[in-house]
DNA sequence: ATGTTC
């Protein structure tokens, strides 16, 4: 991307002034190198978002941003319902409430070493993963509705976990306002065999070693020590979320036209928050959030079953669970005035700073854990939320490394078989169901996650707490 | 991301 149109605002914060029909500027977070490597299409898409009614502050792009459906992935945009603000399916993404959950194991790397191969094989056997791969649960209509309303709380009540888990899940494991009636029969049918499955693409389950600690106080609050073993899983609402996106896009395109909203790109289809379609989408999207939270809860139970068998000394507890594809109704102070806003985070992680309401009390002083997923060969990160620069990006940070090379290009450039060997040579046990899928996910297909989180920290979005290094990686 | 093209 050309940096000429950008004004430096602060370290790693850049502003593209409003032009044409843009109501607000675009604000980028990132260093010169990350922004220079960013596709021009990211600016084009973020500028399109800036034209939408009711947008507040700016159209934001995280350091890991790349182009997506309508809105950039790595984009944050907040809308005020009192000013005609909109909700957009493309602003949330198809994998609604995709997110990361990180689990403590209570073990250190020495305890893991003798059983690493066995653990990798057992996880790969026990965790359903891959396109169209079902799980062992089949929900009837009544259970489906209870799951969509209850999220991880439903899952725990059904025996998939422990009550204490819920305190460490965003929203306490269940978001309010879910409307199962706004979810199509087809979306529910697609989800029926997919509860408790990992999916494919960039979704994964990793066993990781806690590497360098960058912030001792926050690491203590989060229970992270160098050399400890943790498990992270990255997945979302599977077929249900995808079908909701598919179902609502044409409805939103009609709603936008009906409300006189001129769209610079049809992929920006949206509906006023205060409209029938807007309200229905929000109800369906919240049901999908609960589905994703329930899914990660069931997967946690499967992880516990594997550890009970292979490493019975393990005690699996939650560090945290946070989504990075959502639209959330939140209170934010803008120019000294507190307002209710609908914050779209698409490939961007909520990053509440110290003292924010809704955080577990033990995190109040250090801020929310911000879980950043890396790639199969590189680190993941735990960051801590900060108040943010100025109005910030409504308390948001990056979500991962961000794709650099398209799936198609990556599948030509890398080979799954060689990746397994290369990873093994570096002490990383990689297990995948599709060699092509592995090639598409080659570490080289992604940006440098260490550079992304450093830029996020320098921009003041979050601060680095701990680096997580992969030991075992399970992919779909 | 995705019963990888309704």
């Amino acid at each position: 991307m050309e940096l000429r149109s950008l004004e430096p605002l602060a370290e790693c914060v850049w502003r593209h002034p409003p032009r044409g029909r843009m109501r607000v500027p675009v604000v980028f977070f990132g260093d010169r190198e990350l922004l220079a490597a960013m596709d021009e299409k990211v600016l084009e898409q973020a500028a399109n978002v800036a034209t939408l009614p009711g947008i507040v502050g700016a159209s934001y792009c995280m350091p890991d941003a790349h182009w997506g459906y309508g809105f950039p992935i790595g984009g944050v945009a907040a809308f005020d319902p009192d000013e005609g603000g909109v909700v957009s399916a493309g602003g949330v993404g198809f994998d609604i409430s995709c997110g990361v959950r990180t689990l403590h194991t209570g073990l250190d790397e020495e305890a893991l070493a003798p059983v690493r191969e066995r653990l990798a094989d057992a996880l790969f056997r026990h965790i359903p993963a891959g396109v169209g791969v079902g799980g062992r649960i089949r929900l009837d209509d009544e259970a489906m509705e209870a799951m969509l309303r209850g999220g991880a709380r439903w899952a725990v009540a059904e025996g998939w976990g422990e009550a204490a888990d819920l305190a460490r899940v965003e929203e306490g494991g269940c978001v309010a306002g879910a409307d199962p009636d706004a979810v199509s029969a087809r979306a529910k049918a697609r989800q029926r065999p997919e509860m408790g499955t990992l999916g494919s693409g960039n979704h994964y389950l990793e066993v990781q070693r806690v590497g360098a600690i960058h912030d001792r106080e926050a690491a203590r609050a989060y229970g992270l020590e160098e050399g400890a073993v943790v498990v992270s899983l990255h997945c979302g609402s599977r077929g249900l979320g995808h079908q909701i996106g598919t179902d609502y896009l044409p409805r939103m395109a009609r709603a936008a036209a009906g409300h006189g909203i001129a769209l610079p790109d049809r992929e920006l289809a949206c509906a006023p928050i205060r409209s029938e379609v807007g309200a229905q989408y929000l109800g369906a999207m919240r049901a999908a959030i609960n589905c994703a939270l329930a899914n990660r809860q069931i997967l946690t139970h499967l992880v516990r079953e594997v550890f009970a068998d292979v490493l019975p000394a393990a005690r699996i507890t939650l560090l945290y669970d946070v989504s990075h594809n959502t639209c959330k109704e939140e209170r934010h102070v803008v120019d000294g005035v507190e307002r209710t806003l609908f914050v779209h985070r698409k490939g961007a992680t909520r990053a509440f700073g110290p003292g924010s309401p809704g955080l577990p009390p033990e995190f109040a002083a250090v801020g929310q854990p911000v879980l950043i997923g890396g790639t199969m060969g590189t680190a993941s990160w735990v960051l801590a939320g900060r108040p943010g620069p100025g109005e910030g990006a409504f308390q948001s940070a990056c979500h991962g490394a961000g794709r650099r090379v398209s799936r198609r290009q990556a599948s030509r450039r890398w080979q799954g078989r060689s990746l397994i060997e290369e990873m093994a040579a570096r002490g990383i046990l990689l297990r995948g169901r599709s060699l092509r899928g592995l090639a598409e996910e080659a570490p080289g297909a992604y940006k440098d996650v260490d550079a992304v989180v450093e830029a996020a920290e320098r921009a003041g979005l979050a601060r680095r707490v701990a680096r997580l290094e992969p030991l075992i990686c399970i992919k779909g």
Side-chain angles (χ1 to χ4, degrees):
Chain A
M1 190 170 68
E2 288 283 349
L3 300 184
R4 276 179 308 186
S5 70
L6 304 183
E7 309 161 356
L9 277 189
E11 192 183 5
C12 287
V13 186
W14 309 72
R15 178 178 183 272
H16 175 86
R19 287 185 189 148
R21 289 171 46 221
M22 291 169 65
R23 298 163 192 260
V24 294
V26 173
V27 169
F28 285 94
F29 301 102
D31 62 26
R32 203 170 272 279
E33 200 177 339
L34 283 163
L35 291 186
M38 212 172 265
D39 197 308
E40 203 71 39
K41 187 103 175 151
V42 177
L43 171 58
E44 188 187 317
Q45 291 192 321
N48 286 343
V49 171
T51 70
L52 294 176
I55 188 165
V56 175
S59 170
Y60 296 96
C61 291
M62 294 295 145
D64 50 337
H66 53 114
W67 71 275
Y69 186 92
F71 288 54
I73 296 163
V76 176
F79 296 86
D80 187 335
D82 291 337
E83 295 183 351
V86 294
V87 59
S88 169
V92 173
F94 280 79
D95 190 6
I96 298 169
S97 200
C98 184
V100 180
R101 173 180 288 214
T102 296
L103 311 168
H104 298 293
T105 66
L107 302 173
D108 59 24
E109 52 192 326
E110 283 77 26
L112 179 70
V115 294
R116 234 153 49 113
E117 291 274 354
R118 246 184 82 207
L119 182 64
D121 292 339
L123 287 168
F124 188 54
R125 267 198 315 272
H126 203 60
I127 308 285
V131 177
V133 174
R136 69 193 200 202
I137 304 167
R138 292 292 182 278
L139 301 182
D140 61 22
D141 290 348
E142 200 179 327
M144 178 69 68
E145 173 155 348
M147 181 275 286
L148 294 175
R149 288 192 198 282
R153 282 189 207 163
W154 166 85
V156 167
E158 292 292 309
W160 305 99
E162 302 166 8
D165 296 347
L166 298 173
R168 295 294 186 94
V169 182
E170 190 180 6
E171 312 281 0
C174 170
V175 67
D179 180 5
D181 293 338
V183 179
S184 69
R186 190 176 195 177
K188 291 170 184 164
R190 279 182 68 171
Q191 191 58 26
R192 214 169 290 283
E194 292 190 339
M195 287 311 293
T197 67
L198 194 59
S200 61
N202 65 3
H203 292 167
Y204 61 79
L205 183 145
E206 277 193 1
V207 180
Q208 300 158 327
R209 169 190 185 277
V210 179
I213 299 288
H214 286 248
D215 181 319
R216 304 227 155 262
E217 187 199 354
R220 201 173 310 117
Y222 294 170
L224 293 170
E225 280 179 38
E226 186 166 354
V229 172
V230 298
V231 175
S232 292
L233 49 98
H234 176 219
C235 65
S237 54
R238 310 287 290 104
L240 182 118
H242 192 272
Q243 189 61 44
I244 290 170
T246 305
D247 290 339
Y248 277 88
L249 278 166
R251 296 186 62 192
M252 283 186 163
R254 287 195 295 275
H259 286 87
I261 301 169
L263 300 177
D265 175 354
R266 55 196 288 275
E267 293 185 357
L268 287 174
C270 60
I273 292 158
R274 292 196 180 135
S275 69
E276 192 183 344
V277 174
Q280 285 188 352
Y281 175 74
L282 285 165
M285 183 210 60
R286 288 165 180 153
I289 291 178
N290 286 336
C291 176
L293 296 179
N295 196 36
R296 293 198 283 272
Q297 185 63 44
I298 294 168
L299 289 167
T300 300
H301 183 82
L302 300 181
V303 168
R304 282 183 167 130
E305 289 180 335
V306 170
F307 273 79
D309 185 35
V310 179
L311 277 164
R315 168 96 184 92
I316 307 284
T317 56
L318 266 73
L319 165 55
Y320 204 60
D321 178 318
V322 63
S323 302
H324 47 235
N325 284 358
T326 58
C327 177
K328 291 278 193 71
E329 182 177 355
E330 295 172 359
R331 299 283 287 171
H332 287 279
V333 177
V334 182
D335 298 330
V337 181
E338 190 170 288
R339 295 158 73 172
T340 295
L341 302 176
F342 286 71
V343 184
H344 295 68
R345 296 187 181 89
K346 180 186 189 183
T349 313
R350 194 188 75 171
F352 280 179
S356 298
L359 291 187
E362 60 275 25
F363 297 159
V366 295
Q368 178 212 302
V370 179
L371 307 176
I372 307 299
T375 74
M376 61 172 79
T378 63
S380 294
W381 282 86
V382 179
L383 314 182
R386 288 188 48 164
E391 85 275 21
F394 303 104
Q395 304 260 281
S396 313
C398 54
H399 85 305
R403 187 162 278 281
R404 193 174 64 82
V405 175
S406 74
R407 291 195 172 276
R408 177 179 276 271
Q409 283 180 322
S411 67
R412 289 185 187 143
R413 201 184 298 182
W414 288 280
Q415 286 198 312
R417 184 68 61 193
S418 342
L419 282 170
I420 293 172
E421 287 164 15
E422 284 163 33
M423 295 297 132
R426 293 173 46 201
I428 303 165
L429 303 179
L430 176 60
R431 302 279 188 274
R433 279 181 167 75
S434 146
L435 288 175
R436 186 196 161 100
L438 291 182
E440 290 180 354
E441 289 294 311
Y446 285 89
K447 302 184 213 295
D448 177 355
V449 69
D450 295 337
V452 167
V453 296
E454 186 183 339
E457 179 172 291
R458 285 168 58 199
L461 296 170
R463 61 184 196 284
R464 287 174 292 184
V465 176
R467 191 170 189 266
L468 308 178
E469 302 160 357
L471 299 170
I472 296 170
C473 178
I474 307 294
K475 299 280 291 181

